Amino acid sequence: MNRDEILAKSRAEGIDEGACDAENRGRKMGITAFCLMEVAIAAFNVLTEQPNHVPLALFWTFCAAEAYPKYRFTGKKSFLVTTVLGGLCAVLFFATYVISVLK
């Protein structure tokens, strides 16, 4: 496929590469901000002797949700393992949180 065919196909799809790039950059910044906030909350909880069940449940949920589409696209088993183990960790941390609240 030559350059003109590729450009014509891209224009026909109506995808704005600039908008996609901006979304990807925003997503990366969001992930970075999320991780930094997770670390800040976890550190605060350690300093105030609070449990970290909720932040860890959110973190593992995020990891599992992030890895699943990568597994679907690439078929790499490492992403599948991350999805399954991350989901399991998320459920366990959430269950630990629920049990601690209901006591």
Side-chain angles (χ1 to χ4, degrees):
M1 195 179 295
N2 67 26
R3 181 176 178 260
D4 293 330
E5 290 173 359
I6 293 171
L7 287 174
K9 183 178 177 183
S10 176
R11 288 186 188 117
E13 290 175 352
I15 297 172
D16 183 358
E17 289 185 23
C20 288
D21 184 52
E23 285 178 12
N24 287 334
R25 288 177 187 234
R27 193 172 294 113
K28 286 180 183 179
M29 288 178 64
I31 290 168
T32 302
F34 176 80
C35 290
L36 289 173
M37 185 56 71
E38 284 284 326
V39 169
I41 291 170
F44 177 79
N45 285 346
V46 167
L47 292 174
T48 59
E49 299 180 4
Q50 299 294 317
N52 271 316
H53 306 307
V54 174
L56 287 171
L58 292 172
F59 175 75
W60 287 112
T61 301
F62 176 80
C63 287
E66 180 83 7
Y68 181 69
K70 291 178 183 179
Y71 165 70
R72 294 280 304 206
F73 182 73
T74 65
K76 289 185 178 179
K77 294 200 186 241
S78 61
F79 290 129
L80 177 61
V81 169
T82 303
T83 300
V84 171
L85 292 180
L88 180 64
C89 287
V91 168
L92 292 175
F93 277 114
F94 179 70
T96 305
Y97 168 70
V98 169
I99 290 168
S100 70
V101 168
L102 295 177
K103 281 187 177 181

